[in-house]
Amino acid sequence: MTIPALRFAGVGKSYGATKILDDLNLEIAEGEFFVLLGPSGCGKTTVLRMTAGLQPVDRGEIYLRDNPLSGVPPERRNIAMVFQDYALYPHMTVYHNMAFGLRRHGHGRAEADARIRKTAALLGIQPLLERQPHQLSGGQQQRVALGRAIVRDPALYLMDEPLSNLDAQVRAGVRTEIKELQRRLGVTTLYVTHDQIEALTLADRMAVLNEGRIQQVGPPLDVYRAPANEFVASFLATPKLNLFDGTIERVDGAVLVRTAIGTFTPPNPPSALGGRTAVRVGLRPEEIKVSFALREGEPSLAIRLLEPLGSQVLVIAERDGADVTISVPADAVPEKPERLGVVPAGCVVHLFDRDDGVAVAHFRSA
Amino acid sequence: MMPPRVMAAARPYLYLAPTLAVLAAFTYFPIARLAEMSLRAPGVGTSLGPWIGLSAYAKLFANPLFWRVLGQTILFVFASVPIAMALALGLALLLDQPLRGLGFFRVLYYTPVVTPTVAVAALALWMFNANGGIVDYFLRSLGIAPVPWLVESTWALPTLILIAVWKNVGYYMIIYLAGLQSLPRAVLDAARLDGARPIVRFFAITLPLLRPTTFFIAVVALIGSFQVFDFVNLMTQGGPSNATNVLVYFAYQNGFEYLQLGMAAAISLIMFALVLTILGLVAGALNR
């Protein structure tokens, strides 16, 4: 069995009586791009800082290539971190920002110089080497911060929401770059973000963290398709997950899930459903099928608001006081629509336990 | 009625006028008047006598005491300021820790700053008293012979420096502490991950980032130290045998004891030029 690059074994952290992290167990493989996704305050930055050695671990142990990290100061961990606000040395040129860590790690002047030139070429920042950080744009600073991490060729990269201070346009560009770089360099990366798009696009595998506990671990599409619970489903839905109370009816061996917006039918009765008669039903805006051409007497929803996003339109509709947000291709929306009907066939439906929110079944409705 | 363009151009000066008027009346005019005084013979009362050119300066430069006082002033400034600043930075680093009871120590170190100079001087006179002062008492208990603190020429100026450092260090410390606490933590964290040990972090990151703070303190401290007068007047009156005489006290003696207002004016102007030059050099070195 191969040794994981990074392993968290029962790691916990508390501030006074407040538990920040509770029994974190996680293994990250060598060369893997692992994303820790969660809302602010979920403990994800604490995980990074503990891995870096900037915060002590209260319980459990973190292993870097099977070496326990507790007691090893940050300066001897061979870990590089990219900070949210870049944290470049403001009084040093880009060149010296990159040279600082190399020199501290005992590389000679000539070797440091060669490495800096190579990394600068890789990132396209050669023209910036003699500049000071305050003379750089946000995107350039971010690239230098990446360069400072890459140039050291560490055992592990830690990235703390490195894109959150960038403009939307620059962000998408740098995101692609980070992914390509990581592929090329093959260095294990632990990346923390609250942005689900970043998690889905960047990760080889991801973990969703909430209130100091891991909710789900897996490849991004698996997590997206089969969220383990209501929280994960909500967190991975833009702009929000539509949640309804549902009742289960069993007719001739088939199962019907009745909700305020329609009745959904799983192709095969889900075994995990057991004898439940009530569930929570979650539908993502992009996974609901609708029709604007209504037949007489068919149940329908009143459209309250349209939010055009370009290729898609977010339709906010309601029925019996229940709000539904649906993402519809822009060209499918007629002029000034007033009502729409949910077409159950083809809708992707997630069923959760009514009490603990744990996922019971995911299916495309027949 | 003025044309609008003239009005627009004049407006800033209009707003500046009150401040400029106050500065002119209480700062620029007195400096000019001082220069005039240094170039004229003393008259009767506050009036000035005939113009005598630079003879006051010539007399001053020919006076060995002036050079000695100048030297002592520079020694006082360049000993007390760096010592106080280094100590202040050291204390600020110690107090910039997430430990319990730090507020108490911050108050403790700041107390001398808010204590009136007269009280500090009285206390210091008692503590450094050559006949049973508490400092000597402690030294004796450590087996060190009593030191003739303020009585002997060699010890008097160092003693004054010590007291000035003690009085000022708390003020500089508070400013350094504010500077330290506004440093970007992530930058220091980044340096740790880059493999920098504490001593390297201090010299390569903390100290350079504190430069604006250091510059501010240096300016305040230099100006304040050049103008030292209260401790000298309260504790030694420049003695023993001029060992603690400094420029401001020397000017005061000339002006108000020997009634040589021209000489006093000349000393003041020389000091003014000296402070300006040194501040320029410090600004050049620190405020890049």
PDB file of all heavy atoms in Angstrom, chain B residues 157-189:
ATOM      1  N   LEU B 157      26.541  62.902  33.223  1.00  0.00           N
ATOM      2  CA  LEU B 157      25.817  62.844  31.951  1.00  0.00           C
ATOM      3  C   LEU B 157      25.236  61.443  31.693  1.00  0.00           C
ATOM      4  O   LEU B 157      24.045  61.333  31.347  1.00  0.00           O
ATOM      5  CB  LEU B 157      26.730  63.282  30.792  1.00  0.00           C
ATOM      6  CG  LEU B 157      26.003  63.549  29.474  1.00  0.00           C
ATOM      7  CD1 LEU B 157      24.998  64.688  29.615  1.00  0.00           C
ATOM      8  CD2 LEU B 157      26.988  63.863  28.358  1.00  0.00           C
ATOM      9  N   PRO B 158      26.009  60.385  31.912  1.00  0.00           N
ATOM     10  CA  PRO B 158      25.409  59.043  31.773  1.00  0.00           C
ATOM     11  C   PRO B 158      24.181  58.859  32.664  1.00  0.00           C
ATOM     12  O   PRO B 158      23.203  58.218  32.255  1.00  0.00           O
ATOM     13  CB  PRO B 158      26.541  58.100  32.184  1.00  0.00           C
ATOM     14  CG  PRO B 158      27.779  58.849  31.855  1.00  0.00           C
ATOM     15  CD  PRO B 158      27.463  60.296  32.107  1.00  0.00           C
ATOM     16  N   THR B 159      24.230  59.411  33.878  1.00  0.00           N
ATOM     17  CA  THR B 159      23.074  59.291  34.773  1.00  0.00           C
ATOM     18  C   THR B 159      21.856  59.991  34.169  1.00  0.00           C
ATOM     19  O   THR B 159      20.736  59.459  34.172  1.00  0.00           O
ATOM     20  CB  THR B 159      23.388  59.887  36.151  1.00  0.00           C
ATOM     21  OG1 THR B 159      24.597  59.306  36.627  1.00  0.00           O
ATOM     22  CG2 THR B 159      22.271  59.612  37.129  1.00  0.00           C
ATOM     23  N   LEU B 160      22.077  61.173  33.618  1.00  0.00           N
ATOM     24  CA  LEU B 160      20.969  61.907  32.980  1.00  0.00           C
ATOM     25  C   LEU B 160      20.415  61.111  31.795  1.00  0.00           C
ATOM     26  O   LEU B 160      19.201  61.052  31.583  1.00  0.00           O
ATOM     27  CB  LEU B 160      21.460  63.264  32.473  1.00  0.00           C
ATOM     28  CG  LEU B 160      21.354  64.453  33.422  1.00  0.00           C
ATOM     29  CD1 LEU B 160      21.538  65.749  32.626  1.00  0.00           C
ATOM     30  CD2 LEU B 160      20.010  64.496  34.139  1.00  0.00           C
ATOM     31  N   ILE B 161      21.328  60.516  31.034  1.00  0.00           N
ATOM     32  CA  ILE B 161      20.909  59.705  29.879  1.00  0.00           C
ATOM     33  C   ILE B 161      20.017  58.557  30.353  1.00  0.00           C
ATOM     34  O   ILE B 161      18.948  58.295  29.799  1.00  0.00           O
ATOM     35  CB  ILE B 161      22.144  59.174  29.112  1.00  0.00           C
ATOM     36  CG1 ILE B 161      22.837  60.329  28.398  1.00  0.00           C
ATOM     37  CG2 ILE B 161      21.746  58.085  28.106  1.00  0.00           C
ATOM     38  CD1 ILE B 161      24.205  59.991  27.833  1.00  0.00           C
ATOM     39  N   LEU B 162      20.460  57.916  31.437  1.00  0.00           N
ATOM     40  CA  LEU B 162      19.714  56.793  32.008  1.00  0.00           C
ATOM     41  C   LEU B 162      18.299  57.221  32.390  1.00  0.00           C
ATOM     42  O   LEU B 162      17.313  56.538  32.088  1.00  0.00           O
ATOM     43  CB  LEU B 162      20.477  56.308  33.250  1.00  0.00           C
ATOM     44  CG  LEU B 162      20.168  54.925  33.773  1.00  0.00           C
ATOM     45  CD1 LEU B 162      20.721  53.891  32.811  1.00  0.00           C
ATOM     46  CD2 LEU B 162      20.801  54.726  35.157  1.00  0.00           C
ATOM     47  N   ILE B 163      18.212  58.377  33.054  1.00  0.00           N
ATOM     48  CA  ILE B 163      16.901  58.849  33.515  1.00  0.00           C
ATOM     49  C   ILE B 163      16.012  59.228  32.321  1.00  0.00           C
ATOM     50  O   ILE B 163      14.823  58.923  32.290  1.00  0.00           O
ATOM     51  CB  ILE B 163      17.073  60.036  34.484  1.00  0.00           C
ATOM     52  CG1 ILE B 163      17.778  59.542  35.746  1.00  0.00           C
ATOM     53  CG2 ILE B 163      15.737  60.660  34.836  1.00  0.00           C
ATOM     54  CD1 ILE B 163      18.367  60.652  36.582  1.00  0.00           C
ATOM     55  N   ALA B 164      16.631  59.868  31.313  1.00  0.00           N
ATOM     56  CA  ALA B 164      15.860  60.254  30.127  1.00  0.00           C
ATOM     57  C   ALA B 164      15.341  59.013  29.405  1.00  0.00           C
ATOM     58  O   ALA B 164      14.192  58.981  28.946  1.00  0.00           O
ATOM     59  CB  ALA B 164      16.728  61.095  29.195  1.00  0.00           C
ATOM     60  N   VAL B 165      16.181  57.993  29.322  1.00  0.00           N
ATOM     61  CA  VAL B 165      15.765  56.743  28.682  1.00  0.00           C
ATOM     62  C   VAL B 165      14.578  56.162  29.432  1.00  0.00           C
ATOM     63  O   VAL B 165      13.555  55.787  28.844  1.00  0.00           O
ATOM     64  CB  VAL B 165      16.936  55.728  28.638  1.00  0.00           C
ATOM     65  CG1 VAL B 165      16.430  54.329  28.307  1.00  0.00           C
ATOM     66  CG2 VAL B 165      17.985  56.160  27.628  1.00  0.00           C
ATOM     67  N   TRP B 166      14.710  56.114  30.759  1.00  0.00           N
ATOM     68  CA  TRP B 166      13.642  55.543  31.590  1.00  0.00           C
ATOM     69  C   TRP B 166      12.324  56.285  31.400  1.00  0.00           C
ATOM     70  O   TRP B 166      11.257  55.696  31.316  1.00  0.00           O
ATOM     71  CB  TRP B 166      14.080  55.593  33.061  1.00  0.00           C
ATOM     72  CG  TRP B 166      13.086  55.022  33.992  1.00  0.00           C
ATOM     73  CD1 TRP B 166      12.808  53.705  34.185  1.00  0.00           C
ATOM     74  CD2 TRP B 166      12.216  55.746  34.861  1.00  0.00           C
ATOM     75  NE1 TRP B 166      11.830  53.555  35.124  1.00  0.00           N
ATOM     76  CE2 TRP B 166      11.447  54.792  35.553  1.00  0.00           C
ATOM     77  CE3 TRP B 166      12.024  57.102  35.130  1.00  0.00           C
ATOM     78  CZ2 TRP B 166      10.485  55.160  36.500  1.00  0.00           C
ATOM     79  CZ3 TRP B 166      11.075  57.467  36.067  1.00  0.00           C
ATOM     80  CH2 TRP B 166      10.312  56.495  36.739  1.00  0.00           C
ATOM     81  N   LYS B 167      12.432  57.617  31.300  1.00  0.00           N
ATOM     82  CA  LYS B 167      11.228  58.437  31.162  1.00  0.00           C
ATOM     83  C   LYS B 167      10.556  58.245  29.789  1.00  0.00           C
ATOM     84  O   LYS B 167       9.344  58.262  29.673  1.00  0.00           O
ATOM     85  CB  LYS B 167      11.607  59.916  31.367  1.00  0.00           C
ATOM     86  CG  LYS B 167      10.592  60.929  30.910  1.00  0.00           C
ATOM     87  CD  LYS B 167       9.661  61.346  32.017  1.00  0.00           C
ATOM     88  CE  LYS B 167       8.782  62.522  31.578  1.00  0.00           C
ATOM     89  NZ  LYS B 167       7.388  62.329  31.922  1.00  0.00           N
ATOM     90  N   ASN B 168      11.389  58.059  28.747  1.00  0.00           N
ATOM     91  CA  ASN B 168      10.837  58.068  27.384  1.00  0.00           C
ATOM     92  C   ASN B 168      10.517  56.697  26.823  1.00  0.00           C
ATOM     93  O   ASN B 168       9.746  56.575  25.879  1.00  0.00           O
ATOM     94  CB  ASN B 168      11.822  58.743  26.425  1.00  0.00           C
ATOM     95  CG  ASN B 168      11.921  60.235  26.699  1.00  0.00           C
ATOM     96  OD1 ASN B 168      10.928  60.856  27.074  1.00  0.00           O
ATOM     97  ND2 ASN B 168      13.107  60.791  26.550  1.00  0.00           N
ATOM     98  N   VAL B 169      11.120  55.666  27.387  1.00  0.00           N
ATOM     99  CA  VAL B 169      11.047  54.363  26.734  1.00  0.00           C
ATOM    100  C   VAL B 169       9.599  53.870  26.603  1.00  0.00           C
ATOM    101  O   VAL B 169       9.232  53.274  25.600  1.00  0.00           O
ATOM    102  CB  VAL B 169      11.957  53.342  27.466  1.00  0.00           C
ATOM    103  CG1 VAL B 169      11.339  52.846  28.742  1.00  0.00           C
ATOM    104  CG2 VAL B 169      12.280  52.183  26.553  1.00  0.00           C
ATOM    105  N   GLY B 170       8.767  54.194  27.592  1.00  0.00           N
ATOM    106  CA  GLY B 170       7.385  53.734  27.570  1.00  0.00           C
ATOM    107  C   GLY B 170       6.614  54.317  26.397  1.00  0.00           C
ATOM    108  O   GLY B 170       5.817  53.629  25.752  1.00  0.00           O
ATOM    109  N   TYR B 171       6.883  55.588  26.106  1.00  0.00           N
ATOM    110  CA  TYR B 171       6.200  56.259  24.997  1.00  0.00           C
ATOM    111  C   TYR B 171       6.574  55.610  23.676  1.00  0.00           C
ATOM    112  O   TYR B 171       5.712  55.256  22.861  1.00  0.00           O
ATOM    113  CB  TYR B 171       6.564  57.741  25.005  1.00  0.00           C
ATOM    114  CG  TYR B 171       5.957  58.540  23.893  1.00  0.00           C
ATOM    115  CD1 TYR B 171       4.591  58.445  23.604  1.00  0.00           C
ATOM    116  CD2 TYR B 171       6.726  59.414  23.129  1.00  0.00           C
ATOM    117  CE1 TYR B 171       4.024  59.179  22.581  1.00  0.00           C
ATOM    118  CE2 TYR B 171       6.173  60.155  22.112  1.00  0.00           C
ATOM    119  CZ  TYR B 171       4.829  60.037  21.835  1.00  0.00           C
ATOM    120  OH  TYR B 171       4.285  60.764  20.819  1.00  0.00           O
ATOM    121  N   TYR B 172       7.886  55.403  23.466  1.00  0.00           N
ATOM    122  CA  TYR B 172       8.328  54.788  22.214  1.00  0.00           C
ATOM    123  C   TYR B 172       7.798  53.363  22.114  1.00  0.00           C
ATOM    124  O   TYR B 172       7.457  52.878  21.052  1.00  0.00           O
ATOM    125  CB  TYR B 172       9.859  54.777  22.112  1.00  0.00           C
ATOM    126  CG  TYR B 172      10.523  56.124  22.325  1.00  0.00           C
ATOM    127  CD1 TYR B 172      11.835  56.210  22.765  1.00  0.00           C
ATOM    128  CD2 TYR B 172       9.835  57.308  22.084  1.00  0.00           C
ATOM    129  CE1 TYR B 172      12.455  57.435  22.961  1.00  0.00           C
ATOM    130  CE2 TYR B 172      10.432  58.538  22.282  1.00  0.00           C
ATOM    131  CZ  TYR B 172      11.751  58.600  22.736  1.00  0.00           C
ATOM    132  OH  TYR B 172      12.342  59.806  22.930  1.00  0.00           O
ATOM    133  N   MET B 173       7.746  52.695  23.284  1.00  0.00           N
ATOM    134  CA  MET B 173       7.284  51.308  23.299  1.00  0.00           C
ATOM    135  C   MET B 173       5.836  51.192  22.812  1.00  0.00           C
ATOM    136  O   MET B 173       5.503  50.321  22.019  1.00  0.00           O
ATOM    137  CB  MET B 173       7.398  50.738  24.699  1.00  0.00           C
ATOM    138  CG  MET B 173       6.925  49.306  24.800  1.00  0.00           C
ATOM    139  SD  MET B 173       6.309  48.933  26.432  1.00  0.00           S
ATOM    140  CE  MET B 173       4.776  49.830  26.457  1.00  0.00           C
ATOM    141  N   ILE B 174       5.000  52.123  23.324  1.00  0.00           N
ATOM    142  CA  ILE B 174       3.585  52.084  22.922  1.00  0.00           C
ATOM    143  C   ILE B 174       3.451  52.262  21.410  1.00  0.00           C
ATOM    144  O   ILE B 174       2.667  51.583  20.745  1.00  0.00           O
ATOM    145  CB  ILE B 174       2.788  53.199  23.665  1.00  0.00           C
ATOM    146  CG1 ILE B 174       2.637  52.821  25.129  1.00  0.00           C
ATOM    147  CG2 ILE B 174       1.443  53.438  23.010  1.00  0.00           C
ATOM    148  CD1 ILE B 174       1.657  51.699  25.401  1.00  0.00           C
ATOM    149  N   ILE B 175       4.271  53.169  20.849  1.00  0.00           N
ATOM    150  CA  ILE B 175       4.185  53.394  19.408  1.00  0.00           C
ATOM    151  C   ILE B 175       4.686  52.166  18.642  1.00  0.00           C
ATOM    152  O   ILE B 175       4.096  51.734  17.654  1.00  0.00           O
ATOM    153  CB  ILE B 175       4.978  54.652  19.003  1.00  0.00           C
ATOM    154  CG1 ILE B 175       4.428  55.871  19.754  1.00  0.00           C
ATOM    155  CG2 ILE B 175       4.871  54.897  17.506  1.00  0.00           C
ATOM    156  CD1 ILE B 175       5.258  57.116  19.589  1.00  0.00           C
ATOM    157  N   TYR B 176       5.790  51.583  19.137  1.00  0.00           N
ATOM    158  CA  TYR B 176       6.296  50.359  18.502  1.00  0.00           C
ATOM    159  C   TYR B 176       5.277  49.230  18.585  1.00  0.00           C
ATOM    160  O   TYR B 176       5.086  48.455  17.657  1.00  0.00           O
ATOM    161  CB  TYR B 176       7.612  49.922  19.143  1.00  0.00           C
ATOM    162  CG  TYR B 176       8.828  50.346  18.365  1.00  0.00           C
ATOM    163  CD1 TYR B 176       9.902  50.949  19.005  1.00  0.00           C
ATOM    164  CD2 TYR B 176       8.909  50.140  16.994  1.00  0.00           C
ATOM    165  CE1 TYR B 176      11.027  51.348  18.292  1.00  0.00           C
ATOM    166  CE2 TYR B 176      10.023  50.539  16.281  1.00  0.00           C
ATOM    167  CZ  TYR B 176      11.080  51.134  16.928  1.00  0.00           C
ATOM    168  OH  TYR B 176      12.172  51.522  16.219  1.00  0.00           O
ATOM    169  N   LEU B 177       4.617  49.154  19.739  1.00  0.00           N
ATOM    170  CA  LEU B 177       3.627  48.096  19.935  1.00  0.00           C
ATOM    171  C   LEU B 177       2.491  48.246  18.922  1.00  0.00           C
ATOM    172  O   LEU B 177       2.051  47.275  18.304  1.00  0.00           O
ATOM    173  CB  LEU B 177       3.089  48.168  21.365  1.00  0.00           C
ATOM    174  CG  LEU B 177       2.347  46.964  21.900  1.00  0.00           C
ATOM    175  CD1 LEU B 177       3.198  45.710  21.811  1.00  0.00           C
ATOM    176  CD2 LEU B 177       1.935  47.203  23.351  1.00  0.00           C
ATOM    177  N   ALA B 178       2.049  49.489  18.751  1.00  0.00           N
ATOM    178  CA  ALA B 178       0.996  49.748  17.754  1.00  0.00           C
ATOM    179  C   ALA B 178       1.501  49.350  16.372  1.00  0.00           C
ATOM    180  O   ALA B 178       0.777  48.740  15.580  1.00  0.00           O
ATOM    181  CB  ALA B 178       0.593  51.216  17.774  1.00  0.00           C
ATOM    182  N   GLY B 179       2.766  49.685  16.080  1.00  0.00           N
ATOM    183  CA  GLY B 179       3.350  49.331  14.796  1.00  0.00           C
ATOM    184  C   GLY B 179       3.396  47.821  14.608  1.00  0.00           C
ATOM    185  O   GLY B 179       3.013  47.300  13.564  1.00  0.00           O
ATOM    186  N   LEU B 180       3.839  47.121  15.653  1.00  0.00           N
ATOM    187  CA  LEU B 180       3.937  45.657  15.576  1.00  0.00           C
ATOM    188  C   LEU B 180       2.570  45.029  15.342  1.00  0.00           C
ATOM    189  O   LEU B 180       2.418  44.084  14.577  1.00  0.00           O
ATOM    190  CB  LEU B 180       4.525  45.101  16.875  1.00  0.00           C
ATOM    191  CG  LEU B 180       6.030  45.188  17.038  1.00  0.00           C
ATOM    192  CD1 LEU B 180       6.443  44.750  18.442  1.00  0.00           C
ATOM    193  CD2 LEU B 180       6.730  44.318  16.005  1.00  0.00           C
ATOM    194  N   GLN B 181       1.570  45.581  16.034  1.00  0.00           N
ATOM    195  CA  GLN B 181       0.255  44.959  15.949  1.00  0.00           C
ATOM    196  C   GLN B 181      -0.431  45.235  14.617  1.00  0.00           C
ATOM    197  O   GLN B 181      -1.401  44.571  14.286  1.00  0.00           O
ATOM    198  CB  GLN B 181      -0.604  45.392  17.134  1.00  0.00           C
ATOM    199  CG  GLN B 181      -0.098  44.686  18.384  1.00  0.00           C
ATOM    200  CD  GLN B 181      -0.816  45.066  19.642  1.00  0.00           C
ATOM    201  OE1 GLN B 181      -1.563  46.037  19.669  1.00  0.00           O
ATOM    202  NE2 GLN B 181      -0.585  44.312  20.692  1.00  0.00           N
ATOM    203  N   SER B 182       0.073  46.230  13.895  1.00  0.00           N
ATOM    204  CA  SER B 182      -0.535  46.483  12.592  1.00  0.00           C
ATOM    205  C   SER B 182       0.252  45.800  11.474  1.00  0.00           C
ATOM    206  O   SER B 182      -0.079  45.946  10.310  1.00  0.00           O
ATOM    207  CB  SER B 182      -0.628  47.989  12.334  1.00  0.00           C
ATOM    208  OG  SER B 182       0.667  48.518  12.215  1.00  0.00           O
ATOM    209  N   LEU B 183       1.292  45.053  11.826  1.00  0.00           N
ATOM    210  CA  LEU B 183       2.026  44.321  10.785  1.00  0.00           C
ATOM    211  C   LEU B 183       1.139  43.214  10.222  1.00  0.00           C
ATOM    212  O   LEU B 183       0.377  42.600  10.957  1.00  0.00           O
ATOM    213  CB  LEU B 183       3.289  43.678  11.365  1.00  0.00           C
ATOM    214  CG  LEU B 183       4.430  44.596  11.770  1.00  0.00           C
ATOM    215  CD1 LEU B 183       5.656  43.774  12.144  1.00  0.00           C
ATOM    216  CD2 LEU B 183       4.781  45.568  10.672  1.00  0.00           C
ATOM    217  N   PRO B 184       1.239  42.955   8.912  1.00  0.00           N
ATOM    218  CA  PRO B 184       0.440  41.872   8.331  1.00  0.00           C
ATOM    219  C   PRO B 184       0.934  40.521   8.842  1.00  0.00           C
ATOM    220  O   PRO B 184       2.044  40.114   8.544  1.00  0.00           O
ATOM    221  CB  PRO B 184       0.676  42.015   6.831  1.00  0.00           C
ATOM    222  CG  PRO B 184       1.912  42.824   6.689  1.00  0.00           C
ATOM    223  CD  PRO B 184       2.059  43.646   7.921  1.00  0.00           C
ATOM    224  N   ARG B 185       0.089  39.826   9.613  1.00  0.00           N
ATOM    225  CA  ARG B 185       0.484  38.544  10.222  1.00  0.00           C
ATOM    226  C   ARG B 185       0.855  37.521   9.158  1.00  0.00           C
ATOM    227  O   ARG B 185       1.748  36.708   9.351  1.00  0.00           O
ATOM    228  CB  ARG B 185      -0.642  37.982  11.093  1.00  0.00           C
ATOM    229  CG  ARG B 185      -0.960  38.804  12.309  1.00  0.00           C
ATOM    230  CD  ARG B 185       0.065  38.571  13.418  1.00  0.00           C
ATOM    231  NE  ARG B 185       0.262  39.848  14.108  1.00  0.00           N
ATOM    232  CZ  ARG B 185       0.989  40.026  15.206  1.00  0.00           C
ATOM    233  NH1 ARG B 185       1.615  39.014  15.747  1.00  0.00           N
ATOM    234  NH2 ARG B 185       1.124  41.214  15.732  1.00  0.00           N
ATOM    235  N   ALA B 186       0.098  37.543   8.052  1.00  0.00           N
ATOM    236  CA  ALA B 186       0.322  36.524   7.020  1.00  0.00           C
ATOM    237  C   ALA B 186       1.739  36.621   6.467  1.00  0.00           C
ATOM    238  O   ALA B 186       2.341  35.605   6.122  1.00  0.00           O
ATOM    239  CB  ALA B 186      -0.712  36.671   5.903  1.00  0.00           C
ATOM    240  N   VAL B 187       2.274  37.829   6.397  1.00  0.00           N
ATOM    241  CA  VAL B 187       3.629  37.992   5.855  1.00  0.00           C
ATOM    242  C   VAL B 187       4.638  37.308   6.783  1.00  0.00           C
ATOM    243  O   VAL B 187       5.566  36.627   6.332  1.00  0.00           O
ATOM    244  CB  VAL B 187       3.963  39.490   5.677  1.00  0.00           C
ATOM    245  CG1 VAL B 187       5.424  39.667   5.286  1.00  0.00           C
ATOM    246  CG2 VAL B 187       3.064  40.111   4.621  1.00  0.00           C
ATOM    247  N   LEU B 188       4.423  37.466   8.091  1.00  0.00           N
ATOM    248  CA  LEU B 188       5.315  36.809   9.043  1.00  0.00           C
ATOM    249  C   LEU B 188       5.130  35.289   9.000  1.00  0.00           C
ATOM    250  O   LEU B 188       6.099  34.540   9.107  1.00  0.00           O
ATOM    251  CB  LEU B 188       5.061  37.352  10.451  1.00  0.00           C
ATOM    252  CG  LEU B 188       5.543  38.794  10.626  1.00  0.00           C
ATOM    253  CD1 LEU B 188       4.882  39.455  11.814  1.00  0.00           C
ATOM    254  CD2 LEU B 188       7.051  38.837  10.777  1.00  0.00           C
ATOM    255  N   ASP B 189       3.887  34.850   8.832  1.00  0.00           N
ATOM    256  CA  ASP B 189       3.628  33.417   8.677  1.00  0.00           C
ATOM    257  C   ASP B 189       4.332  32.888   7.430  1.00  0.00           C
ATOM    258  O   ASP B 189       4.930  31.808   7.447  1.00  0.00           O
ATOM    259  CB  ASP B 189       2.115  33.147   8.552  1.00  0.00           C
ATOM    260  CG  ASP B 189       1.391  33.336   9.874  1.00  0.00           C
ATOM    261  OD1 ASP B 189       2.069  33.371  10.921  1.00  0.00           O
ATOM    262  OD2 ASP B 189       0.155  33.451   9.858  1.00  0.00           O
TER     263      ASP B 189
END
